[in-house]
Amino acid sequence: MTTPQDVLKMIRDNNIQMIDLKFVDMPGIWQHLTVFHEQIDESSFTDGVPFDGSSIRGWKAINESDMAMVPDPNTAWIDPFMQEPTLSLICSIKEPRTGEWYSRCPRVIAQKAVDNLVSSGIGDTAFFGPEAEFFIFDDVRFDQNSHEGYYHVDSIEGRWNSGNQESPNLGYKPRYKEGYFPVSPTDTLQDMRTEMLLTMAKCGVPIEKHHHEVATGGQCELGFRFGKLVEAADWLMTYKYIIKNVAKKYGKSVTFMPKPVFQDNGSGMHTHQSIWKDGQPLFAGDKYAGLSETALYYIGGILKHAPALLAITNPTTNSYKRLVPGYEAPVNLAYSQGNRSASIRIPLSGSNPKAKRLEFRCPDATSNPYLAFAAMLCAGLDGIKNKIDPGEPLDKNIYELSPEELAKVPSTPGSLELALEALEKDHAFLTEPGVFTEDFIETWISYKLDNEVNPMRLRPHPYEFALYYDC
């Protein structure tokens, strides 16, 4: 554990001039305030640093705009992208007048999920390991106004450029669905991914690997070790920050949009998770795939609440363009030890009980990780408390099932609107434990409808012109 005194010593020893205080807004984007080092002292780590919260997305309903960001000393790292020596600290949000943690702060909600786990007596530690995929593009343009709307993304690796005049075109373009994972020269992003991974290590993220992903056009993934719930969310935010800024150095752009390329695989965020108590794993046992009864009940909770859960783990209209059959997408609300079309997979763990875990394959990295991990834990704990049976595993090839068999397998919601409707009907598993508030759920649903679902309804789609212009 790092103490405030350790951080202050780090500032002195490294001649740090500036402190960059980062916090996450409701949709999941880092915001920041940079202060001169003399503005930070021991009291900053308890009382926080004041700021105006009135313009932060999803926080507009607060009566008083004065808020305080409280840095976590365990999140200190020197920012590799700043010209002047700058220390980065991740913060949670307090209401300075009452001293209470702010109920709409996602990092606060994540900590409340951990506190709920402990108070339940079921476990004391929740481990999460997200696998966030992304695209690296060479060019991106988009616009929307009253008489036109378009997007354009491009990549030197895009198969669509196989006939392009590139002076010269070397011809090494990953085929659609075949980007996993040929060596250089087809893979042009090796050195960039290595720099991304090593930069993450310098910022305290426990790195593992990197590789090209399935889609053409620059789809990639970097891997880091699992961590405790809040810690893993901090690492994922750092992951996204570093990947985007290293790509910027190379003159490239990164997106975590689930489906930026038509007719190829989308980007997900398969999320590994397990619960421990007193240093012992609770998911290893003698049931299906080496799971414990506790693990099966946890799966039952995830599957039961999945339609509502996806409103938080898959929170964009674009998320549901990934969750369609045929692109390795986990559209079936079932569990399996090998079937990757099932929404929950049990990874191979050998004889090591500490490696026993489940992988929820639906989420994507447009989600706010603090909210997503907290919601998944709440759903799983609800399954354990109420002994929810997950049913039989889906070990058959989904594409070989008869229509009668397929009809028995529930599917993920087909749109963000449907997921939000499910959340409106089913959110007691989030609010009754005191992790999410009714106010937050109402704000989340109204924000998503007002700012994303309804605006999409109003706008003509380019493909509609191809379908209907000559009517």
Side-chain angles (χ1 to χ4, degrees):
M1 298 289 289
T2 303
T3 66
Q5 294 82 1
D6 294 332
V7 175
L8 296 174
K9 185 176 185 299
M10 186 188 304
I11 292 170
R12 292 191 301 270
D13 291 350
N14 292 277
N15 192 30
I16 298 295
Q17 296 297 299
M18 308 303 293
I19 314 296
D20 197 54
L21 303 174
K22 297 179 174 69
F23 67 94
V24 68
D25 66 8
M26 190 179 74
I29 302 297
W30 255 353
Q31 311 294 321
H32 74 138
L33 169 70
T34 308
V35 299
F36 188 53
H37 68 92
E38 292 180 355
Q39 299 296 112
I40 300 295
D41 57 23
E42 278 195 50
S43 68
S44 303
F45 294 89
T46 53
D47 300 335
V49 176
F51 74 103
D52 178 3
S54 61
S55 297
I56 303 302
R57 294 183 296 176
W59 292 4
K60 291 181 180 178
I62 58 174
N63 297 322
E64 299 291 340
S65 61
D66 292 334
M67 310 195 82
M69 56 180 87
V70 183
D72 183 342
N74 294 294
T75 64
W77 41 268
I78 297 174
D79 196 306
F81 305 108
M82 304 294 184
Q83 184 173 338
E84 292 295 328
T86 302
L87 187 76
S88 175
L89 288 165
I90 301 174
C91 303
S92 299
I93 306 302
K94 251 185 187 179
E95 303 214 47
R97 286 180 173 80
T98 64
E100 298 291 324
W101 293 109
Y102 183 44
S103 64
R104 292 190 190 179
C105 170
R107 199 168 187 270
V108 168
I109 290 172
Q111 183 58 54
K112 287 164 67 177
V114 177
D115 296 341
N116 175 57
L117 169 64
V118 175
S119 65
S120 73
I122 294 170
D124 53 36
T125 308
F127 286 113
F128 280 77
E131 300 176 343
E133 299 165 334
F134 56 93
F135 280 85
I136 302 175
F137 291 130
D138 292 278
D139 186 50
V140 54
R141 289 175 282 121
F142 50 89
D143 199 4
Q144 175 81 58
N145 54 50
S146 60
H147 73 286
E148 64 181 355
Y150 72 93
Y151 72 89
H152 173 88
V153 295
D154 204 4
S155 165
I156 192 70
E157 287 189 358
R159 188 67 177 181
W160 55 82
N161 281 322
S162 60
N164 197 33
Q165 291 286 347
E166 294 178 354
S167 303
N169 187 329
L170 301 180
Y172 297 108
K173 316 286 185 187
R175 299 176 185 88
Y176 293 101
K177 298 189 180 184
E178 293 187 25
Y180 192 85
F181 27 48
V183 299
S184 176
T186 302
D187 179 3
T188 68
L189 301 166
Q190 171 74 18
D191 290 338
M192 189 191 312
R193 290 197 308 270
T194 294
E195 183 173 339
M196 290 170 174
L197 197 71
L198 295 179
T199 304
M200 283 165 52
K202 292 176 183 176
C203 297
V205 179
I207 60 174
E208 287 188 340
K209 61 183 181 295
H210 70 74
H211 57 83
H212 206 285
E213 262 297 344
V214 175
T216 191
Q219 191 184 35
C220 297
E221 181 186 316
L222 278 64
F224 60 88
R225 277 198 299 111
F226 64 89
K228 297 177 182 179
L229 189 151
V230 177
E231 178 181 61
D234 288 341
W235 290 343
L236 184 62
M237 295 302 298
T238 305
Y239 173 100
K240 295 177 77 170
Y241 177 76
I242 288 170
I243 286 169
K244 290 178 179 179
N245 280 283
V246 170
K248 180 185 173 186
K249 284 176 55 180
Y250 285 78
K252 296 180 184 288
S253 178
V254 162
T255 183
F256 287 87
M257 275 183 66
K259 196 74 169 183
V261 175
F262 176 51
Q263 290 185 324
D264 210 336
N265 282 33
S267 294
M269 187 180 73
H270 306 153
T271 305
H272 298 250
Q273 49 204 282
S274 64
I275 296 175
W276 290 47
K277 186 175 184 179
D278 298 329
Q280 297 300 314
L282 300 184
F283 279 9
D286 58 1
K287 305 296 183 184
Y288 173 80
L291 294 172
S292 65
E293 188 174 58
T294 297
L296 289 173
Y297 288 148
Y298 188 101
I299 290 171
I302 294 280
L303 293 178
K304 176 183 177 181
H305 298 297
L309 197 55
L310 263 62
I312 296 173
T313 63
N314 300 70
T316 67
T317 58
N318 188 253
S319 298
Y320 298 86
K321 293 176 170 62
R322 165 183 167 254
L323 291 177
V324 294
Y327 296 91
E328 298 184 30
V331 296
N332 302 293
L333 294 178
Y335 68 104
S336 173
Q337 61 182 337
N339 193 336
R340 291 175 187 269
S341 68
S343 59
I344 295 179
R345 187 176 75 92
I346 316 305
L348 293 173
S349 57
S351 59
N352 183 5
K354 294 183 177 181
K356 186 57 67 177
R357 63 200 186 277
L358 62 91
E359 175 192 29
F360 188 39
R361 295 174 60 81
C362 291
D364 64 59
T366 60
S367 63
N368 184 322
Y370 301 98
L371 302 178
F373 298 168
M376 284 184 261
L377 180 58
C378 286
L381 289 181
D382 187 67
I384 295 171
K385 291 174 183 176
N386 293 293
K387 297 184 177 181
I388 298 174
D389 185 352
E392 294 299 316
L394 181 66
D395 288 334
K396 297 179 180 179
N397 185 337
I398 190 71
Y399 301 112
E400 294 178 357
L401 294 180
S402 67
E404 293 77 18
E405 290 176 304
L406 192 59
K408 297 177 182 178
V409 182
S411 297
T412 53
S415 69
L416 176 59
E417 184 176 13
L418 290 174
L420 291 169
E421 289 177 4
L423 179 62
E424 189 171 29
K425 296 173 183 175
D426 175 27
H427 60 260
F429 71 98
L430 301 172
T431 56
E432 285 183 356
V435 177
F436 292 75
T437 63
E438 288 285 349
D439 167 73
F440 183 90
I441 298 297
E442 291 171 6
T443 301
W444 179 265
I445 292 172
S446 62
Y447 179 90
K448 288 289 172 179
L449 289 173
D450 293 345
N451 293 279
E452 299 175 36
V453 173
N454 292 332
M456 280 290 291
R457 280 188 181 140
L458 295 174
R459 286 159 171 79
H461 189 285
Y463 193 58
E464 289 179 311
F465 283 82
L467 291 173
Y468 308 129
Y469 187 77
D470 60 351
C471 64

